[in-house]
Amino acid sequence: MGSISSVIIINQSDVDKVFRILSRCSCGLFNYVCYYLCRLDACCFVDIGNKVEGIKKTKMSLSHGQLLVHCIRVLDSYNSDTQSVEEHVNKYLKNNQIYDDSDQTFIVEVFSECVRYSNLMQVVLDGFYAKDGKKTLRSEQNLYTVVCYLALFRLDELGMAHFRKFVSSQDINRMYRFLNFFLDEKNLLTWIQDGWEKYYEHVFVETNMISSIQRWMPELQEMIGQMKDKIANRLKPKRKNLPTTEMKPFNITQPRPRSIPIPEPIPKLKKHKPVPKTLYSEPKEFSQIKKSKESNRRIAEERLMEASGIKFACANPAKSEKTIEILNNIVSEEEAKLEFERHRANPPPSFLSREVPIKMNTATILREGNLYRKKEAEEIKKWENLEAGAKDASDFLKWQTEMRQQDLEDELAEIERRRLQGKLSHEEAILARQDLIQENKQKVKSMKEETEKMMQDYLQKKFSEEKEMRQLVEDTMQGHKNAKEATKKLREYKRKIVQEVNEESKELMKQALEEAEEEMRRRMELIHQIRAMEAVPIIRQKFVDLTATSGHGLLSEMSIAELRERLSLFRIAEKETEEQRRDDILASKQAKDQMLLETLETISKHRLEQTKSAAVRFECKKKGLIPKKPEIKDSKLLELEKKLEERKAQRKREQEKLKVVPSKQSVNQTRSLINQKKALEESRWRELEMTQERAARLMGDGVMKSQSASRLASASAILAS
């Protein structure tokens, strides 16, 4: 309240900013600020009266309770079988004379969304009426539907303050009972979420419903706690509002007027020194560095020649005849391995030479025996049908193979057609891309012209804005004069409000103290009664008779001794049944082993027959001819190939047109690069010749031997290469 009430309104733009903030505030704060602004008589608040009335009309059209009642009535009077949603809402708004735009949009949105998500709301209402709402009326279910919708989908938009007003406009007992059930995390995150996921996906329920309500869960739980305290007539004592400090100006002595200072004398500039002659001459250090470099280079060359002349005598890099012979043998063996075109028969695998026993478990034996049993049954059935006069299926199988061959040829033709169509579409895409490049070039030219025009408009607009800003600064300087009177009136009004609040808080504190004293008396009486009950002595000794019953009066009642006898008889009977089971298990195992032996015999017989038939088939396959690959003949494929060749030729023509012709500038640049490369090569050869001349000069002076000089020349040649 203090931050908004201390705003200083200076000009028209600041007035608009203040009312933009006030439109988002609560109703109490809005009325307080509007009352204060309407009492001011300053000339800069001429437009405030009109704006206050306009905001009051939009803000105070319908209260929260009235909006909630209208939403419930719309849902009560809706019949989905005979009316549509839009028609029913418009008819209701017209009958009840609701013309405000904000109220109409709120009622329409709440009604349409409640109808849309009726399945989700019905899950919550069914659980509420089954558990906590057994004593509530069924006619109130639309009230709980609207509150449930606002909490799930509109809480982020409304905020906690407006939602609290919607809840407080209804009966507190009903709202507490429903919200305590609905906002309980055990219910919300277990069966309610499972019921919602029957109608919508898990991601939608998690992101749009559960996460949004969990964000507001601390504030909602605080609101439920306040409702519980209000139902139990428990009020928290309010804090005492301390009196505001009064601002007093400091009693400071007025400063003396400053004396006019005497101006200091202007200093005169000194004469500059002339530039030294050493600035234009090269220093001695450079010449000394050059001499030292030359001497060091000469010493390094002499040391290199001495080191190259002194070598180890035992080092013989040449290879012997034996090593050369071994290397030649290795190379010949490797080349012999590279005979790829030579046909060689692969050796048979090692496991075919000997029979490896295969270990079969019970499951494999039974599975294979069942397979062969089925095959035998099919074969017997086939022979029985032939004996009964059934027709042989050889003609049908021949026709079936021919049709399959024809289908295969059609399929291959279709694959070839698709391949050619893919190539054709690729060529057309390249042509389309070339057309797109040319269109983009034209678009770039037009965009450049538009940007130039926009820059000119922007500069003109910026110049006009600078003029407006200067005018605004002048207006703000005039508005500062009326701010002091407004602050004084606001302080007086605040003091009156603080005095009234202090008087009300004192009365509430007295009532709270009286209620606390009564509660303490009642608790003390309960404590005295509990202590008196605890002081009564209790007999803790019990005598046990094993032959006596407990005396509860039941038909199956027995003593501990009788129970022990029955347990012993039950154990004897249990041992007898266990021995009987063991005998049955042994008999079943023997029968199973016999059955496995019989199945193994049948499996061995069938395997012998299969090996014989496989050998016969192999011999027939050797004598038979290899089937030829089917040829594809189709007129459509020939047309597609011709069309593809035409597109390729067109693409090549377009590429030749779009080839970049070298300009004069690029030609000159390449020539300059070639000339630079030639100059670098010439400088390198010149350096090599100089090193050769230096070596010859050293030879003539007798500094080194001829062998070391030749080594220096060979080293320079290696460096050059």
Side-chain angles (χ1 to χ4, degrees):
M1 187 188 290
S3 63
I4 293 172
S5 61
S6 61
V7 173
I8 298 169
I9 299 170
I10 295 163
N11 54 11
Q12 190 65 29
S13 62
D14 293 337
V15 170
D16 295 335
K17 286 178 186 176
V18 169
F19 280 98
R20 215 175 295 130
I21 294 164
L22 288 175
S23 62
R24 300 193 195 100
C25 297
S26 60
C27 292
L29 178 60
F30 176 76
N31 292 331
Y32 164 65
V33 176
C34 289
Y35 173 73
Y36 163 67
L37 293 174
C38 291
R39 287 182 62 191
L40 295 174
D41 298 328
C43 61
C44 60
F45 297 110
V46 175
D47 296 332
I48 290 172
N50 298 327
K51 291 205 173 188
V52 166
E53 290 175 2
I55 292 172
K56 278 190 176 181
K57 284 177 185 176
T58 56
K59 270 266 213 232
M60 305 299 291
S61 57
L62 281 176
S63 64
H64 295 80
Q66 290 171 348
L67 284 171
L68 196 61
V69 168
H70 282 301
C71 294
I72 294 162
R73 286 178 184 171
V74 173
L75 285 168
D76 288 336
S77 59
Y78 174 63
N79 187 5
S80 59
D81 297 331
T82 58
Q83 291 173 322
S84 66
V85 176
E86 188 176 357
E87 181 186 356
H88 178 65
V89 172
N90 293 332
K91 189 176 179 181
Y92 179 82
L93 294 172
K94 191 175 180 181
N95 292 336
N96 289 279
Q97 296 180 356
I98 300 168
Y99 299 113
D100 189 26
D101 293 336
S102 58
D103 296 340
Q104 283 182 356
T105 53
F106 181 79
I107 292 165
V108 170
E109 285 176 1
V110 171
F111 171 65
S112 60
E113 293 293 317
C114 286
V115 173
R116 181 184 175 188
Y117 298 110
S118 60
N119 294 326
L120 303 179
M121 309 304 166
Q122 196 63 39
V123 171
V124 180
L125 291 175
D126 290 343
F128 173 65
Y129 280 110
K131 290 186 177 181
D132 294 351
K134 291 178 181 179
K135 296 180 182 180
T136 54
L137 298 172
R138 282 281 176 178
S139 60
E140 296 173 357
Q141 62 180 356
N142 285 328
L143 167 64
Y144 302 134
T145 302
V146 174
V147 173
C148 182
Y149 163 72
L150 293 175
L152 281 174
F153 296 101
R154 300 296 291 272
L155 197 56
D156 292 332
E157 184 181 346
L158 291 172
M160 200 62 208
H162 289 289
F163 182 72
R164 198 188 295 270
K165 285 176 184 177
F166 279 116
V167 173
S168 61
S169 65
Q170 299 298 317
D171 184 20
I172 192 168
N173 292 313
R174 288 186 291 182
M175 289 292 103
Y176 171 71
R177 198 180 300 119
F178 176 70
L179 290 173
N180 190 27
F181 164 78
F182 175 56
L183 298 174
D184 189 6
E185 289 189 354
K186 290 181 181 177
N187 298 331
L188 189 65
L189 299 176
T190 53
W191 62 268
I192 292 176
Q193 188 177 356
D194 295 338
W196 288 344
E197 286 176 359
K198 290 178 183 177
Y199 300 102
Y200 292 94
E201 291 182 355
H202 176 72
V203 178
F204 176 79
V205 173
E206 278 288 336
T207 54
N208 294 357
M209 299 165 73
I210 299 295
S211 62
S212 63
I213 204 165
Q214 280 183 343
R215 240 184 286 120
W216 291 95
M217 192 59 79
E219 288 86 348
L220 291 168
Q221 292 294 340
E222 185 182 355
M223 184 184 76
I224 292 167
Q226 290 174 2
M227 291 167 74
K228 187 178 179 181
D229 293 340
K230 194 172 182 182
I231 291 165
N233 290 325
R234 277 183 264 166
L235 292 171
K236 293 181 181 179
K238 292 184 178 179
R239 293 182 181 178
K240 291 182 180 180
N241 290 326
L242 298 172
T244 56
T245 55
E246 294 181 356
M247 296 172 64
K248 293 181 180 180
F250 293 105
N251 190 9
I252 300 169
T253 56
Q254 294 293 328
R256 293 178 183 177
R258 289 185 180 181
S259 60
I260 298 165
I262 300 166
E264 294 180 358
I266 298 165
K268 293 181 180 180
L269 295 171
K270 294 180 181 180
K271 289 182 179 180
H272 67 278
K273 292 180 180 180
V275 179
K277 293 179 180 179
T278 54
L279 185 67
Y280 302 105
S281 62
E282 192 175 5
K284 294 177 182 178
E285 285 80 5
F286 289 162
S287 60
Q288 290 176 0
I289 288 165
K290 283 182 181 178
K291 287 179 182 178
S292 62
K293 277 183 179 180
E294 288 176 359
S295 63
N296 290 333
R297 187 178 179 83
R298 199 179 300 110
I299 292 162
E301 286 176 354
E302 290 174 0
R303 286 180 180 176
L304 177 66
M305 290 171 185
E306 288 176 2
S308 61
I310 302 164
K311 280 188 177 181
F312 295 106
C314 62
N316 189 10
K319 293 175 183 176
S320 63
E321 293 178 356
K322 192 174 183 180
T323 54
I324 291 164
E325 187 179 354
I326 291 164
L327 287 170
N328 291 329
N329 291 331
I330 291 164
V331 170
S332 62
E333 286 176 2
E334 292 293 328
E335 286 177 352
K337 289 178 184 177
L338 299 174
E339 294 177 0
F340 297 112
E341 294 180 357
R342 185 177 174 185
H343 295 286
R344 292 181 182 179
N346 292 324
S350 60
F351 61 85
L352 292 176
S353 60
R354 57 190 179 84
E355 292 183 358
V356 180
I358 299 165
K359 190 175 181 181
M360 296 175 71
N361 55 6
T362 308
T364 54
I365 291 164
L366 292 172
R367 198 183 297 116
E368 197 167 356
N370 192 15
L371 178 68
Y372 290 134
R373 205 176 295 116
K374 283 181 182 178
K375 285 182 179 179
E376 286 175 358
E378 287 175 0
E379 195 69 24
I380 290 163
K381 192 175 180 181
K382 182 181 174 183
W383 286 109
E384 286 176 355
N385 291 332
L386 288 170
E387 285 176 359
K391 191 177 180 182
D392 192 10
S394 60
D395 295 336
F396 172 74
L397 292 172
K398 188 178 179 182
W399 173 80
Q400 193 177 21
T401 52
E402 288 175 359
M403 294 304 293
R404 280 179 182 170
Q405 187 70 21
Q406 191 176 354
D407 292 339
L408 181 63
E409 290 176 1
D410 294 340
E411 191 175 352
L412 290 170
E414 183 67 21
I415 290 164
E416 185 67 19
R417 186 179 62 78
R418 286 178 186 171
R419 188 180 69 79
L420 292 171
Q421 282 180 352
K423 285 187 175 181
L424 187 63
S425 63
H426 178 66
E427 296 293 333
E428 288 176 352
I430 292 167
L431 291 170
R433 185 172 178 79
Q434 289 173 356
D435 296 337
L436 185 66
I437 289 164
Q438 293 178 358
E439 289 177 2
N440 288 335
K441 286 179 181 178
Q442 294 177 358
K443 285 180 183 178
V444 166
K445 287 180 182 178
S446 61
M447 285 173 73
K448 283 180 180 179
E449 293 174 358
E450 287 177 1
T451 48
E452 288 177 359
K453 290 179 182 178
M454 287 171 71
M455 280 298 292
Q456 291 176 0
D457 297 337
Y458 173 71
L459 291 169
Q460 291 176 0
K461 190 177 179 182
K462 194 172 182 182
F463 183 68
S464 62
E465 283 178 358
E466 285 178 357
K467 284 184 178 179
E468 290 176 0
M469 286 296 291
R470 287 172 190 166
Q471 187 66 30
L472 194 138
V473 170
E474 291 175 359
D475 295 338
T476 51
M477 293 300 292
Q478 291 177 1
H480 276 293
K481 296 175 183 178
N482 300 322
K484 291 182 180 179
E485 294 178 1
T487 51
K488 286 179 183 178
K489 289 180 181 180
L490 185 61
R491 283 174 193 162
E492 290 175 0
Y493 185 68
K494 280 184 179 179
R495 283 171 193 165
K496 289 178 183 178
I497 290 168
V498 168
Q499 288 175 1
E500 292 174 0
V501 171
N502 286 331
E503 290 174 359
E504 290 177 0
S505 62
K506 285 176 183 178
E507 292 177 359
L508 291 171
M509 282 294 290
K510 286 179 184 179
Q511 291 177 4
L513 287 169
E514 290 174 359
E515 290 175 359
E517 287 176 0
E518 289 178 1
E519 185 69 22
M520 284 297 292
R521 286 171 193 162
R522 189 173 62 78
R523 287 180 181 176
M524 289 297 290
E525 288 176 1
L526 286 170
I527 289 163
H528 286 307
Q529 290 174 7
I530 291 163
R531 284 179 180 173
M533 290 168 70
E534 288 176 351
V536 177
I538 300 166
I539 298 166
R540 299 183 182 276
Q541 293 179 358
K542 287 185 179 179
F543 300 100
V544 180
D545 187 8
L546 297 174
T547 57
T549 58
S550 57
H552 293 299
L554 299 170
L555 293 172
S556 61
E557 202 170 26
M558 65 181 75
S559 62
I560 294 168
E562 188 180 354
L563 184 65
R564 286 174 181 170
E565 288 179 2
R566 289 199 180 187
L567 282 170
S568 63
L569 292 170
F570 180 72
R571 282 172 189 152
I572 291 163
E574 196 173 12
K575 283 181 182 178
E576 290 176 356
T577 55
E578 190 176 349
E579 288 175 357
Q580 184 66 33
R581 282 178 189 169
R582 283 177 182 169
D583 295 338
D584 295 340
I585 289 164
L586 284 169
S588 67
K589 279 186 178 179
Q590 289 173 0
K592 190 177 179 181
D593 292 338
Q594 186 65 30
M595 187 261 289
L596 287 172
L597 288 169
E598 290 174 358
T599 51
L600 280 170
E601 288 178 1
T602 56
I603 287 164
S604 62
K605 288 177 183 177
H606 279 280
R607 282 183 178 174
L608 283 169
E609 292 295 328
Q610 283 177 356
T611 51
K612 287 177 183 178
S613 63
V616 171
R617 257 188 271 115
F618 183 70
E619 291 294 330
C620 292
K621 194 175 181 181
K622 274 185 179 179
K623 293 175 183 178
L625 296 170
I626 299 164
K628 293 181 180 180
K629 193 176 179 181
E631 295 180 358
I632 302 163
K633 294 179 180 179
D634 196 356
S635 60
K636 292 181 180 179
L637 293 176
L638 296 171
E639 290 177 3
L640 283 170
E641 286 176 355
K642 287 179 182 178
K643 197 172 181 182
L644 181 63
E645 289 175 359
E646 289 175 1
R647 293 291 182 189
K648 280 182 180 178
Q650 188 179 357
R651 176 173 60 81
K652 287 176 182 177
R653 274 187 251 113
E654 292 290 333
Q655 283 179 353
E656 287 176 358
K657 288 179 184 178
L658 293 170
K659 272 184 182 178
V660 179
V661 180
S663 61
K664 291 181 178 180
Q665 188 177 359
S666 61
V667 170
N668 294 329
Q669 193 173 1
T670 51
R671 282 176 183 172
S672 64
L673 288 170
I674 291 162
N675 292 330
Q676 286 177 5
K677 191 175 180 181
K678 286 180 179 178
L680 284 169
E681 287 178 356
E682 287 176 0
S683 64
R684 184 186 285 178
W685 284 109
R686 201 179 294 114
E687 286 177 1
L688 287 170
E689 288 174 357
M690 287 173 70
T691 52
Q692 292 286 341
E693 287 177 1
R694 200 181 297 116
R697 204 182 300 119
L698 289 169
M699 283 278 292
D701 295 339
V703 176
M704 58 181 177
K705 296 176 182 179
S706 62
Q707 189 178 1
S708 61
S710 62
R711 282 174 186 169
L712 179 62
S714 63
S716 63
I718 290 161
L719 288 168
S721 62

